[in-house]
Amino acid sequence: MAARGHLATTPAAVADELLATVRQLATELHPRRGAQGLTLDSALDRDFGLDSLDRTELLLRIEREFDARLPDGVLYAAETPRDLLGPLLAASRQAPQEAQAPVLLTGAAVGPPERARTLLEVLEWHVEAHPERRHVVFCEDGEEPLTYAGLLVGASKVALGLKERGLAPGQSVALMLPTGQAYFHCFMGILLAGGVPVPVYPPFRPSQLEDHLRRQAGILSNALAAFMITTPEVMPLARLLRGLVPGLREVATPQQLSGVGGIALPLFSRSDELALLQYTSGSTGQPKGVMLTHANLLANIRALGQAAAVRSEDVFVSWLPLYHDMGLIGAWLGSLYFAMPLVLMSPLAFLARPERWLRAIHRYRGTLSAAPNFAYELCVRKLADEDLAGLELGAWRLAVNGAEPVSPATVTRFCDRFAPYGFRREAMTPVYGLAESSVGLTFPSPGRGAVIDRVQREALLRDGLATPAKEDDPSALRFVACGRPLPGHRIRIVDARGRELGEREVGRLEFKGPSATAGYFRNPEQTARLFRGEWLESGDLAYTALGEVYLTSRVKDLIIRGGRNIPPYELEEAIGEIEGIRRGGVAVFGSADPESGTERLVVMAETREPRVAPDEALKARIVDVTLDLLAMPPDDVALVPPRTVLKTSSGKIRRAACRDRYEQGDLGAAAPAPWRQWLRLEAAGLVPRLRRASSDFASGLYSLYAWGVFGLVAVPAWIMIALAPGSSRRCLRVASRLLLRLTGIPLVVRGLEHLEGCGPCVLVANHASYLDGLALEACLPVAPRYVAHARFRARFFARLFLQRIGAIFVAAKGQARGLEETEEAARTLRLGEPVCFFPEGTFIRTPGLQPFRMGAFTAAAETGCAVVPIALRGTRHILRAHSRFLRRGGILVTIGPPIRPKGQGWAAALALRDAAYAEILRDCGESAIPEPGA
């Protein structure tokens, strides 16, 4: 059909033509049901019966017939044809042939940062080695390539924005962003700020709003996410999420966070710190937060690089979502480490036009690319010869196929279909991995190609033996080899009792290695189930042959019926081929049958004709297919409308959730209208929002009251101290205790006995708040002279107060300060008076024990006086730096045992410092902040 060129027609004519196009496709798919009665407001899935693959076909037809190019995400977010009309009217003509790809590789080949211990050190190494080397190139128009220097600058801005908003070290930050520069800036910015990224996926369709937000709310609650970063378009949903997640303090866009000016922050992190909370897809249950450290991720990336022979000259092309491990770790972080350019497109760009993926590999001479099995199948089924004209895939050396069961039929069809375009069979690389092992666990030899094993069906289903089948056995099951364990990793196959099995015996796959997680975040019950001693449970059934791993099923997906173990995948695929059944919309699961003591075999299948009454002929065809494959019929066949079969964000069937829905008897219920879902979410969040508003109001009243008390007590106390210096310390102690009592701040002191008989000593305490001095005055039985910063001399009220209580003023910074501290403190100690130091020098908003200055410890070593460590806990919570808001809370003061100097030199002072730091760190409840460059 010739292109209609809609830009020259009226909107009414475009609407008519669009509806005719959708009706034509629906009629071809469902010839028994007329589509003439359907309108622009009829549902694309429920009424027209279009699934995700059909939507791809619809997009291709619209663009050909209207000579227009629709935005990638429009078709997948659209609920009705009318949702397509506005974008179609605004769409531009088809883009001309793509121009020559830009140069990706600049400079000589480089080796990876083998000594880097964290992701931040990896980035730092690349910025120093080649700051302007291209790191990420975006296929979408308008996105500039991202260099290593650009990544660090953008990440620094985000980090400063988060720290200014009070992000504490170790706090989780949810990341709900599409593919683009902002995602990378924010991910690295969270790490720079000391936080932990938690990637989550954005909502796609209004009809799934409630289910999506409730699942995301569960993730954010479990992760204790204090912040979320998202796009301006998603911000209206943020209020709903905050209602469902009381601990979510703030939602901001990357632009709001990046508005803070500043230079790159020091790259502080440790290899054993959390670098990522990767939530599992939840295909067999509720999502669980896999804890991955910098060490885990780097071990996996290095092992994958060794197994795949990755070099900096490689080019990785990816459309994979950045909220899943294969796209985030395998594609991006792997490219970051090995300095190979990463060519990115959005997932919606691939789903809308699968040929874009292959065109990008052709255009950029991609050598590496990865995708789940369905992507390879989509290319086989939906791309016509005219879509592939001029395509050349000869540079593609590793076509990684993983993240879901690898279909032998798909592997064969893809290799056959694209061989004429230069694709080499040996490039097809089936792999196996899981989030609990960071991303990868097994990998085949590069360039070997796919190996398919044929085994006897009955021996595997009944006896769990992968006995090789004869070539002419039509009932043979086929499984794809997924390679050997990565370097430094091990696997084993065990039975239900934990006994290791031999080759070609099917059992549970267990693994261990440096990539393995320490468990699930805030989920001790599931963590306990994950570990079998030093081995981790994968949740998968598999067998080995000649050292290669062959996956057969998920443990929880396995159906046990009549003494046979039935994996669901083959049957689901076969039923999906039946005319009238939606491909990818079939769930096969077992439902417990108490009477028989076994499981009922249930088939839940979405039909393409949802308005038709239950079709007995269609059910009969499903029964026939099941009999052919399993030699037994299903116990029940449930024909359901589109979108009834529940899936994860990556498209995996949630069989456990489907089983629950089946057993509850609510199949076929239409999803409520988006406005009803919105109201339900509003109602669900109303009580938490009211509770939070009430708490905020009460907190505000308390803060006002506390400042009022402070004014009433502090002003008279200052006057008395100024006028009567002889009784200043007694007055200060009474005022401090009165302030704490009237504001309801409990003060608990431990270790007072350590000050008895101590003599002249150096008191050293961590510095977290302006309340620290008040707390010490209220509880110490001695009256030390405090070391104060020279800047207070310029402030009349502070200077007079500090002078009256005998404070020691020291220089602002540098060597002069250290000398003043040591000399004046030593003089005071020789006079028999104690001295109190805050050796951090000052306090900051972010929790953490900063490095100590040497003045206090040098003075103690010089005079032979003991150092008494004091840990303050709770003051930072009550009054943070740069804040006037007083919170309710208690203060705990822990006085440690005196530490006597061993000598008088620099070494003795260093030993005192290190011992005091360790003692305070143990009791202050905060983590250590390392020295710059440490």
Side-chain angles (χ1 to χ4, degrees):
M1 182 183 294
R4 296 185 175 95
H6 79 272
L7 295 179
T9 63
T10 64
V14 174
D16 291 340
E17 295 289 353
L18 173 62
L19 183 57
T21 302
V22 184
R23 284 175 174 173
Q24 175 64 28
L25 178 59
T27 301
E28 293 173 11
L29 293 169
H30 318 299
R32 294 188 300 161
R33 180 187 61 175
Q36 293 307 308
L38 301 179
T39 69
L40 285 171
D41 296 309
S42 299
L44 288 171
D45 54 0
R46 186 182 66 250
D47 301 322
F48 286 97
L50 304 186
D51 61 19
S52 56
L53 293 179
D54 300 333
R55 285 173 179 251
T56 300
E57 175 65 25
L58 177 61
L59 178 67
L60 295 174
R61 292 193 182 192
I62 290 173
E63 293 191 339
R64 282 197 300 264
E65 295 180 11
F66 289 88
D67 189 25
R69 199 163 188 82
L70 292 176
D72 295 329
V74 166
L75 190 62
Y76 287 87
E79 302 284 344
T80 67
R82 191 177 298 281
D83 294 336
L84 300 173
L85 183 58
L88 182 57
L89 290 170
S92 62
R93 297 281 185 177
Q94 289 280 11
Q97 186 70 24
E98 288 179 323
Q100 183 67 29
V103 176
L104 298 182
L105 297 170
T106 54
V110 294
E114 296 177 349
R115 295 186 178 180
R117 298 165 300 173
T118 69
L119 295 177
L120 296 177
E121 289 181 11
V122 169
L123 177 57
E124 182 182 26
W125 187 92
H126 285 301
V127 170
E128 292 178 355
H130 38 243
E132 299 307 317
R133 184 181 178 91
R134 289 189 172 181
H135 170 39
V136 182
V137 174
F138 301 92
C139 291
E140 279 75 13
D141 295 334
E143 284 271 22
E144 291 294 323
L146 182 63
T147 64
Y148 289 97
L151 175 57
L152 180 57
V153 170
S156 297
K157 293 180 179 179
V158 172
L160 288 168
L162 286 169
K163 291 176 78 68
E164 187 180 68
R165 286 165 168 77
L167 178 70
Q171 277 191 322
S172 301
V173 181
L175 201 54
M176 186 185 283
L177 292 172
T179 299
Q181 280 202 18
Y183 188 98
F184 303 110
H185 290 160
C186 291
F187 188 97
M188 280 297 180
I190 294 168
L191 291 178
L192 275 173
V196 180
V198 183
V200 294
Y201 63 99
F204 289 113
R205 294 179 183 147
S207 62
Q208 299 172 331
L209 176 67
E210 185 174 9
D211 179 66
H212 171 82
L213 286 187
R214 288 191 183 277
R215 284 174 64 80
Q216 299 309 312
I219 289 174
L220 299 186
S221 296
N222 177 258
L224 298 177
F227 297 86
M228 185 171 79
I229 307 175
T230 190
T231 61
E233 294 77 15
V234 181
M235 288 294 282
L237 301 178
R239 189 168 59 85
L240 297 179
L241 266 178
R242 290 194 68 193
L244 299 173
V245 186
L248 186 61
R249 285 166 36 198
E250 186 173 349
V251 181
T253 66
Q255 294 77 13
Q256 291 170 332
L257 292 173
S258 300
V260 180
I263 60 174
L265 300 177
L267 306 186
F268 290 151
S269 57
R270 296 198 315 269
S271 62
D272 60 350
E273 288 180 347
L274 276 183
L276 173 66
L277 277 180
Q278 180 68 44
Y279 276 80
T280 62
S281 60
S283 58
T284 58
Q286 290 301 313
K288 301 180 287 290
V290 179
M291 297 187 292
L292 297 174
T293 65
H294 291 273
N296 293 147
L297 295 174
L298 288 177
N300 202 249
I301 290 167
R302 286 165 173 150
L304 283 170
Q306 182 180 342
V310 174
R311 307 182 307 267
S312 63
E313 298 94 329
D314 279 309
V315 175
F316 202 122
V317 178
S318 178
W319 57 265
L320 296 168
L322 293 169
Y323 46 78
H324 284 146
D325 48 14
M326 184 182 268
L328 176 65
I329 306 170
W332 175 41
L333 295 180
S335 298
L336 175 74
Y337 181 82
F338 288 103
M340 56 179 168
L342 174 62
V343 177
L344 269 188
M345 65 178 64
S346 76
L348 291 177
F350 164 74
L351 293 172
R353 303 174 187 86
E355 74 277 9
R356 281 189 175 183
W357 177 34
L358 305 182
R359 287 287 178 192
I361 294 172
H362 159 87
R363 184 185 182 212
Y364 292 93
R365 303 296 293 166
T367 59
L368 308 177
S369 195
N373 188 82
F374 87 86
Y376 295 95
E377 184 68 27
L378 188 63
C379 290
V380 170
R381 289 181 172 272
K382 287 300 176 183
L383 298 185
D385 289 341
E386 54 265 31
D387 298 321
L388 306 176
L391 184 69
E392 211 291 312
L393 300 175
W396 197 359
R397 71 177 185 89
L398 289 181
V400 178
N401 187 337
E404 66 181 21
V406 180
S407 167
T410 298
V411 167
T412 302
R413 285 196 291 261
F414 187 88
C415 292
D416 292 342
R417 177 72 176 88
F418 293 98
Y421 301 96
F423 183 79
R424 293 171 290 111
R425 291 181 181 274
E426 57 266 30
M428 180 56 69
T429 310
V431 300
Y432 169 63
L434 65 167
E436 288 80 357
S437 183
S438 296
V439 60
L441 183 56
T442 67
F443 205 95
S445 301
R448 186 204 63 188
V451 173
I452 299 174
D453 191 29
R454 302 176 77 255
V455 302
Q456 296 177 16
R457 178 184 297 273
E458 196 60 27
L460 187 131
L461 298 185
R462 186 172 296 279
D463 303 321
L465 299 175
T467 306
K470 296 180 179 179
E471 288 296 326
D472 59 353
D473 183 354
S475 66
L477 290 170
R478 297 192 300 164
F479 298 103
V480 179
C482 294
R484 299 171 180 270
L486 294 174
H489 297 70
R490 292 178 60 190
I491 66 164
R492 68 176 186 176
I493 309 298
V494 300
D495 61 16
R497 295 173 295 175
R499 181 177 62 91
E500 191 163 357
L501 301 176
E503 282 214 339
R504 292 195 170 275
E505 291 184 279
V506 177
R508 294 172 177 260
L509 188 151
E510 296 181 348
F511 67 96
K512 63 180 179 179
S515 304
T517 179
Y520 301 117
F521 188 67
R522 297 181 63 238
N523 198 334
E525 181 180 347
Q526 291 298 328
T527 297
R529 294 179 181 176
L530 176 65
F531 282 89
R532 302 288 184 271
E534 61 180 347
W535 294 87
L536 284 80
E537 169 70 58
S538 70
D540 289 304
L541 295 172
Y543 67 91
T544 60
L546 299 177
E548 297 257 2
V549 174
Y550 294 81
L551 277 297
T552 62
S553 176
R554 291 287 294 170
V555 172
K556 292 184 178 180
D557 291 341
L558 197 68
I559 304 162
I560 303 173
R561 186 177 186 275
R564 304 174 82 205
N565 297 326
I566 304 169
Y569 314 122
E570 184 190 31
L571 182 56
E572 289 172 346
E573 189 174 352
I575 293 173
E577 297 286 348
I578 297 175
E579 180 66 28
I581 298 297
R582 289 165 59 98
R583 172 178 292 275
V586 180
V588 175
F589 51 84
S591 180
D593 185 356
E595 294 184 6
S596 64
T598 186
E599 289 188 314
R600 302 173 71 243
L601 178 61
V602 179
V603 176
M604 181 190 295
E606 295 178 354
T607 65
R608 289 183 172 274
E609 303 186 16
R611 292 193 170 202
V612 178
D615 190 330
E616 296 303 323
L618 192 56
K619 285 187 176 183
R621 289 198 291 276
I622 293 174
V623 171
D624 290 342
V625 168
T626 308
L627 281 168
D628 289 342
L629 287 177
L630 303 180
M632 64 174 67
D635 293 286
D636 190 16
V637 175
L639 299 179
V640 295
R643 296 193 193 170
T644 303
V645 172
L646 303 174
K647 299 181 181 181
T648 69
S649 61
S650 58
K652 297 178 184 176
I653 303 295
R654 294 168 56 197
R655 295 179 185 85
C658 289
R659 178 178 60 243
D660 293 342
R661 198 166 183 180
Y662 169 82
E663 292 175 347
Q664 291 167 7
D666 62 350
L667 296 180
W675 67 269
R676 288 185 181 275
Q677 296 185 48
W678 188 284
L679 283 179
R680 287 208 302 218
L681 290 168
E682 285 277 14
L686 182 60
V687 172
R689 279 200 297 274
L690 289 175
R691 189 180 296 120
R692 183 159 51 196
S694 175
S695 175
D696 291 345
F697 181 71
S699 298
L701 286 179
Y702 171 78
S703 183
L704 288 173
Y705 164 76
W707 280 116
V709 169
F710 181 84
L712 290 174
V713 174
V715 173
W718 184 90
I719 294 173
M720 292 179 66
I721 291 171
L723 296 178
S727 59
S728 60
R729 298 309 292 264
R730 182 182 301 173
C731 179
L732 179 58
R733 183 166 301 170
V734 171
S736 299
R737 293 174 177 174
L738 184 61
L739 274 171
L740 294 176
R741 182 170 299 178
L742 292 178
T743 53
I745 299 175
L747 177 64
V748 178
V749 186
R750 297 174 182 168
L752 278 174
E753 67 276 8
H754 292 141
L755 290 175
E756 295 177 3
C758 190
C761 60
V762 177
L763 307 175
V764 291
N766 58 304
H767 206 8
S769 168
Y770 280 121
L771 295 179
D772 295 338
L774 183 147
L776 291 178
E777 277 298 312
C779 71
L780 291 179
V782 296
R785 293 184 64 187
Y786 294 94
V787 176
H789 199 285
R791 67 172 179 266
F792 289 112
R793 283 190 175 129
R795 304 173 186 177
F796 172 75
F797 291 102
R799 183 184 74 245
L800 185 59
F801 170 77
L802 291 171
Q803 286 175 339
R804 289 292 191 264
I805 66 171
I808 301 171
F809 291 98
V810 297
K813 58 182 178 180
Q815 185 179 11
R817 171 172 183 165
L819 291 173
E820 282 192 38
E821 282 181 337
T822 303
E823 292 172 2
E824 185 64 24
R827 244 189 325 267
T828 303
L829 290 169
R830 290 190 182 103
L831 292 173
E833 296 181 74
V835 181
C836 183
F837 283 81
F838 293 106
E840 292 174 275
T842 186
F843 57 89
I844 57 177
R845 182 178 181 85
T846 303
L849 187 61
Q850 300 180 82
F852 284 179
R853 302 175 187 274
M854 290 296 298
F857 311 102
T858 304
E862 182 180 320
T863 59
C865 293
V867 171
V868 178
I870 301 176
L872 295 162
R873 191 168 186 167
T875 56
R876 193 190 307 273
H877 168 77
I878 297 171
L879 182 62
R880 284 183 178 271
H882 315 303
S883 173
R884 294 183 176 86
F885 192 86
L886 279 161
R887 296 175 175 83
R888 289 184 179 275
I891 299 175
L892 172 62
V893 179
T894 303
I895 302 171
I899 306 170
R900 300 286 177 180
K902 297 179 180 179
Q904 292 186 330
W906 182 254
L910 283 175
L912 285 173
R913 183 199 65 176
D914 294 343
Y917 189 92
E919 191 75 24
I920 294 174
L921 181 65
R922 187 186 65 189
D923 294 321
C924 71
E926 298 183 357
S927 60
I929 297 179
E931 293 271 10

